[in-house]
Amino acid sequence: MADFETPKFREYPVVPQIKPDAMAGDGPFVSRAEFDTDLGYPGELPENWKEKTLDKMQDLLGRYRSLQVFMDSCIKCGACTDKCHYFIGTNDPKNMPVARQDLMRKVYRRYFTFAGKYFPGLVGAVDLTEDVLKEWYNYYHQCSECRRCSVFCPMGIDTAEVTMAAREMLAHVGYAQKYSNQIIQKVYKIGNNLGLPGPALKGILEDLEEEVEEDTGVPVKYHMDKEGVEALLMTPSADFFAEPHIDGLIGYGKVLHELGITWTVSSKASEAANFGLFIGSYDNMQRISMRIREAAIELKVKRIIFGECGHAWRVAYSFLNTLAGPFDFLDQNYPIPQHILEVTYGALQEGKLRLNKEENDHLTMTFHDSCNVARASRMGNKPGGQFDIPRAVIQAACNNYVDMDSDTIKDATFCCGGGGGILTDDLMELRVKGALPRMEALRQVTEESGVTNIAAICAICKSQFTKTLPYYGFEMDAIMSVHQLVSEAIVMTGSEQEKELDGVEDEEGTKEPEE
Amino acid sequence: MSAFYALLFTVAFLVLVIGLAKKIIQYSRVPAPLKIPVTPAPLTKGGVAVRLAKEAILFAALFRSNKWTWLFGWMFHMSLFVVLIIHLRYFIKDVPTWLVLLQPIGKYAAFTMIIGLLGLLTRRMFVARVKYISSPSDYLWLLLLIVIGLTGATMRFISHTDIISVKEFALGILRFDWQALPMDVPLLVHLFLVATLMILLPFSKLLHIPGLFFAPSRNQVDNPREQRHIAPWAAELDAEKNKIQPK
């Protein structure tokens, strides 16, 4: 374990005392020029950095209504001050959402408002200095852009918008974050965040086919670059590689096979994630999204289905049509794009999937709403479908389900602590401390209701929990994919599981249970 | 002195209207390039209107967030609203009956307004988190409003002023026919601070009034899959990218 203390569980959910500068520091590793230039950034602090920063601020204020309005409309009421998981976990007052916004607002006021130009002391305006930039870099990388604060803000101020703008401004003067930029560069060069080249991916998928056929007796296909299939599956590359992500991918394959939906992944767009969102770059977000359009056209598919990934689903659901649409060449009878959970849920509603819940009887599940799905997207036809559909699918696959405390789920969900470009080892202290509120809610249901496992529909949440659960005394494999539960319970037509349940038809046509 | 006040209010009114209009025009001109409603969000424009009304009238998000801040904040704003309405009698020559009937009840709003403001001030001074985020101007706004409330209540309940003359003065400003203002200290303080507030509003955090309605996080319809949303500058980027089309 690293050189910091894991926060103690609180007796009661009391609001923490402030500890100024508890998380002061240099922030995560700064990107190197080699990663930046590909993305359109200078890669080093230019001589006229001050001018460039303010120019960029002006540019963004003129491009994003959110930023312009949010800079003006904060009343400092304090409603958000106890809502951020990073504040709760670190006690650093600059991690209170309003204080995080104020790091930028102070500069905005100084250079862009009458009051700040002439009475800076009165309204708390400050000059832009290199120290201010460094402080921005540090604290705007202690925000996971989870939007929890915005739910509670009477003005609807979304700190994520401010964080994204700050990161975009920083990147333009050579203060980009290494983790995010290196990953985006891998997407451009290789096709996915993990840097898995096509042949390796192909090998993994073939192994999966073998494994699933061995396990079920059904030849479920996990195609790559197969032209003319019905659907393109966009899934986070962690699904090809990491636990428990890959168990989810196995599940998607089984569900789609059972429904007769042929599908493929693309080696060119082998990544659903879009870190362009995290760094606040419309250009990069669009460039990454465009791969999906290109892959869909090249592979001549009719539908695009997204796997379990939180921010990817935000970009897909909310932005893809804007960034890479219109998708008039796809089948308009399906939502564009569609979430794999919408597919599974729809099929369950129509009675097209058979699940044997008993397979999961050894589990008592709870569900972690991932922030970008919960507060920045939707599933299904009704507002809140993003909460109901995953729960309905879990409960269709598992008999034992308990929700965590109502202040910590649905649109009040706490971030896992690793979202928004924070899932990097050089921010491990922040990640562990930021996980505190979620871990407390989890502990409560494990103690009171015997919950054994927690399911999520986000690759980042899954990776983050795998790392942070042990710090709080849980098993690292307590985190599961939702489609992992489906995968365990599904009874595919003609599978070994079906034979076990229904018995084998003998020559006379009567059924006997298999020995 | 009366002329100074008449001029002050004329200027204050113009600054308020023009300043606010400029900000509203700015807010409406800056595009919102992406769909970012905080979800669950309404699926229709009507739904959005309801969502905004709940925020503007009931302070729904604040209620969820912090009951004390909500209580004091809501008390202050609603009282201020009632106070503003009962002040209409100074600007309408023939006061309608409903406004006359509102006066005896409405006057007590001064107290709830002051209590609300004192609650907010106490919170700002003594809750460490809120104190940390407060600038001098945040305290000054509360003090300004408290003094406006106190001087108003003084005139209502303790040391009456000649409200007939005040009304003549107010109507006079509207007609550009300046009338004499009674030279009572509470009245002069009251009016001076109100004019100050009007002048500073477009340059301050009081911009939360239009800001509330312009937040894309609350005023957007949740329909990105059904309807393509594209801002003008994003559309230009789009054209440049020369998107690949199916053959």
Side-chain angles (χ1 to χ4, degrees):
Chain A
M1 304 241 170
D3 56 343
F4 59 86
E5 250 180 78
T6 306
K8 302 255 182 318
F9 287 127
R10 296 168 295 171
E11 284 285 322
Y12 309 98
V14 286
V15 179
Q17 292 297 310
I18 59 174
K19 281 191 207 150
D21 296 327
M23 292 297 281
D26 298 333
F29 297 144
V30 178
S31 182
R32 292 200 295 268
E34 55 182 290
F35 305 133
D36 284 9
T37 43
D38 256 18
L39 277 56
Y41 301 123
E44 56 183 15
L45 190 72
E47 227 162 80
N48 57 345
W49 59 269
K50 189 170 167 180
E51 202 186 339
K52 283 194 81 172
T53 309
L54 293 172
D55 282 354
K56 195 67 207 167
M57 188 184 282
Q58 181 148 33
D59 176 46
L60 295 178
L61 286 167
R63 282 215 234 182
Y64 291 93
R65 182 181 295 164
S66 51
L67 187 66
Q68 175 62 61
V69 171
F70 296 162
M71 283 292 112
D72 284 334
S73 65
C74 178
I75 42 176
K76 312 294 174 77
C77 70
C80 61
T81 53
D82 54 353
K83 303 297 185 282
C84 175
H85 52 289
Y86 291 123
F87 172 65
I88 295 171
T90 67
N91 300 11
D92 189 320
K94 291 199 175 103
N95 279 331
M96 301 189 298
V98 47
R100 194 186 314 284
Q101 299 157 21
D102 274 353
L103 296 174
M104 185 187 289
R105 192 174 283 118
K106 284 173 178 181
V107 175
Y108 164 76
R109 284 188 169 167
R110 184 76 181 100
Y111 297 95
F112 296 92
T113 71
F114 176 84
K117 275 180 196 164
Y118 300 103
F119 310 97
L122 194 63
V123 295
V126 299
D127 287 327
L128 179 61
T129 61
E130 223 178 313
D131 285 340
V132 168
L133 275 193
K134 285 181 179 157
E135 197 173 40
W136 282 12
Y137 185 75
N138 182 33
Y139 285 103
Y140 285 116
H141 288 98
Q142 295 188 34
C143 168
S144 56
E145 303 173 349
C146 82
R147 311 186 100 193
R148 188 171 194 265
C149 47
S150 74
V151 170
F152 296 96
C153 174
M155 297 300 130
I157 298 174
D158 178 5
T159 309
E161 292 290 308
V162 180
T163 293
M164 288 171 193
R167 291 184 186 175
E168 168 83 340
M169 287 160 61
L170 286 165
H172 274 88
V173 289
Y175 274 114
Q177 184 210 24
K178 182 184 166 200
Y179 170 70
S180 294
N181 280 21
Q182 191 175 11
I183 277 181
I184 293 174
Q185 199 210 30
K186 272 191 237 169
V187 170
Y188 292 150
K189 288 203 164 153
I190 305 168
N192 54 61
N193 287 8
L194 290 177
L196 278 175
L201 187 53
K202 180 91 183 149
I204 291 169
L205 294 172
E206 281 169 0
D207 286 350
L208 284 188
E209 287 180 354
E210 252 175 60
E211 192 183 309
V212 172
E213 185 157 4
E214 206 167 285
D215 190 40
T216 63
V218 181
V220 178
K221 291 291 168 208
Y222 292 82
H223 290 302
M224 184 179 90
D225 293 336
K226 178 139 175 101
E227 270 188 39
V229 292
E230 189 172 345
L232 169 66
L233 178 75
M234 293 300 306
T235 206
S237 56
D239 280 7
F240 303 124
F241 207 70
E243 288 283 348
H245 311 59
I246 198 163
D247 301 303
L249 174 63
I250 293 172
Y252 319 150
K254 289 181 181 173
V255 167
L256 294 171
H257 174 89
E258 184 64 13
L259 298 175
I261 302 170
T262 55
W263 61 277
T264 182
V265 297
S266 153
S267 58
K268 174 180 192 168
S270 47
E271 177 63 65
N274 191 328
F275 277 31
L277 174 75
F278 296 161
I279 63 169
S281 165
Y282 190 98
D283 290 12
N284 283 295
M285 198 158 63
Q286 185 169 40
R287 197 172 147 195
I288 296 168
S289 295
M290 214 57 98
R291 296 149 49 250
I292 302 172
R293 180 188 179 88
E294 288 161 16
I297 290 171
E298 283 167 22
L299 296 169
K300 302 187 178 67
V301 295
K302 299 189 194 73
R303 303 164 66 174
I304 301 175
I305 297 174
F306 272 74
E308 298 179 3
C309 182
H311 83 280
W313 182 238
R314 178 183 190 180
V315 178
Y317 173 84
S318 295
F319 307 155
L320 196 64
N321 200 3
T322 299
L323 295 169
F327 289 98
D328 36 19
F329 54 91
L330 296 175
D331 188 340
Q332 305 296 313
N333 292 315
Y334 299 97
I336 304 167
Q338 193 174 20
H339 197 284
I340 185 70
L341 272 164
E342 291 178 313
V343 176
T344 304
Y345 176 74
L348 285 167
Q349 294 299 100
E350 291 171 26
K352 289 182 181 166
L353 285 181
R354 181 173 175 197
L355 299 182
N356 178 18
K357 292 184 180 191
E358 284 168 18
E359 288 290 341
N360 290 317
D361 269 353
H362 58 292
L363 304 171
T364 299
M365 296 305 305
T366 191
F367 179 64
H368 164 76
D369 291 279
S370 298
C371 47
N372 275 300
V373 178
R375 288 184 283 260
S377 78
R378 173 160 57 97
M379 288 179 200
N381 305 321
K382 287 193 285 270
Q386 68 270 37
F387 311 135
D388 303 335
I389 289 177
R391 285 175 172 77
V393 170
I394 295 173
Q395 284 170 298
C398 179
N399 278 312
N400 315 311
Y401 178 81
V402 181
D403 258 329
M404 286 179 282
D405 187 283
S406 61
D407 289 339
T408 73
I409 56 168
K410 301 190 176 175
D411 67 340
T413 188
F414 276 108
C415 168
C416 62
I422 304 300
L423 192 77
T424 170
D425 283 350
D426 46 321
L427 289 173
M428 192 48 88
E429 176 178 0
L430 181 74
R431 287 169 56 186
V432 170
K433 290 182 172 175
L436 176 70
R438 171 48 75 229
M439 293 297 122
E440 286 179 332
L442 177 60
R443 186 187 67 147
Q444 192 190 356
V445 286
T446 56
E447 287 181 353
E448 291 173 9
S449 315
V451 164
T452 58
N453 290 69
I454 178 168
I457 48 171
C458 169
I460 288 177
C461 297
K462 292 172 196 172
S463 300
Q464 158 76 354
F465 285 139
T466 307
K467 271 272 173 69
T468 51
L469 282 167
Y471 282 89
Y472 290 94
F474 301 101
E475 296 295 322
M476 67 184 283
D477 57 5
I479 175 72
M480 296 179 77
S481 298
V482 169
H483 273 82
Q484 180 178 2
L485 294 164
V486 175
S487 176
E488 293 298 326
I490 194 166
V491 184
M492 288 187 290
T493 314
S495 65
E496 297 295 331
Q497 286 74 14
E498 186 182 47
K499 286 178 202 155
E500 260 177 52
L501 283 171
D502 301 345
V504 190
E505 286 189 21
D506 61 20
E507 281 162 14
E508 285 88 45
T510 53
K511 285 179 179 175
E512 274 174 28
E514 204 182 46
E515 288 303 312
Chain B
M1 196 60 150
S2 295
F4 168 74
Y5 269 82
L7 187 65
L8 179 67
F9 267 90
T10 311
V11 171
F13 178 75
L14 289 174
V15 171
L16 176 69
V17 171
I18 296 171
L20 214 49
K22 275 182 82 170
K23 266 293 173 187
I24 289 174
I25 291 168
Q26 181 194 30
Y27 291 162
S28 44
R29 280 206 179 142
V30 180
L34 293 164
K35 278 280 192 172
I36 57 166
V38 173
T39 58
L43 307 187
T44 59
K45 281 192 176 162
V48 166
V50 172
R51 183 182 201 179
L52 289 175
K54 270 164 83 177
E55 291 303 334
I57 299 168
L58 302 175
F59 301 4
L62 187 58
F63 183 78
R64 241 184 117 175
S65 173
N66 188 304
K67 299 292 186 281
W68 283 109
T69 312
W70 177 84
L71 179 69
F72 293 128
W74 193 77
M75 222 161 113
F76 155 60
H77 282 87
M78 290 305 128
S79 308
L80 178 63
F81 180 68
V82 173
V83 166
L84 286 175
I85 294 213
I86 61 174
H87 275 73
L88 280 177
R89 66 172 172 158
Y90 294 105
F91 301 94
I92 302 172
K93 200 160 186 355
D94 302 307
V95 182
T97 319
W98 64 266
L99 192 51
V100 176
L101 293 175
L102 192 63
Q103 298 292 325
I105 319 161
K107 64 184 181 186
Y108 294 106
F111 296 113
T112 45
M113 175 173 142
I114 293 167
I115 293 168
L117 286 164
L118 288 172
L120 292 174
L121 184 63
T122 309
R123 184 171 155 77
R124 198 169 285 291
M125 288 163 65
F126 295 105
V127 176
R129 285 174 287 122
V130 187
K131 189 176 175 187
Y132 181 88
I133 56 169
S134 299
S135 304
S137 59
D138 296 312
Y139 296 100
L140 288 175
W141 279 123
L142 289 172
L143 290 173
L144 179 94
L145 286 160
I146 287 170
V147 177
I148 289 174
L150 284 174
T151 47
T154 305
M155 287 183 279
R156 198 44 123 146
F157 297 101
I158 302 168
S159 155
H160 298 284
T161 194
D162 177 5
I163 56 169
I164 309 284
S165 302
V166 174
K167 180 159 183 171
E168 287 297 311
F169 172 80
L171 290 170
I173 297 175
L174 297 180
R175 291 193 311 261
F176 295 102
D177 172 20
W178 295 350
Q179 302 291 318
L181 186 66
M183 288 295 122
D184 295 332
V185 174
L187 178 68
L188 295 180
V189 173
H190 187 74
L191 292 182
F192 183 77
L193 295 181
V194 170
T196 309
L197 186 135
M198 287 165 70
I199 290 171
L200 294 181
L201 192 142
F203 308 102
S204 69
K205 70 170 183 177
L206 302 201
L207 283 173
H208 69 282
I209 301 162
L212 172 71
F213 299 97
F214 278 99
S217 50
R218 294 260 164 80
N219 75 7
Q220 287 185 335
V221 178
D222 174 15
N223 61 355
R225 288 196 287 196
E226 291 77 13
Q227 215 170 317
R228 184 157 189 248
H229 172 91
I230 187 111
W233 66 260
E236 268 171 46
L237 276 184
D238 242 29
E240 280 168 30
K241 297 225 162 155
N242 197 10
K243 253 179 219 172
I244 297 182
Q245 298 292 341
K247 281 168 200 142

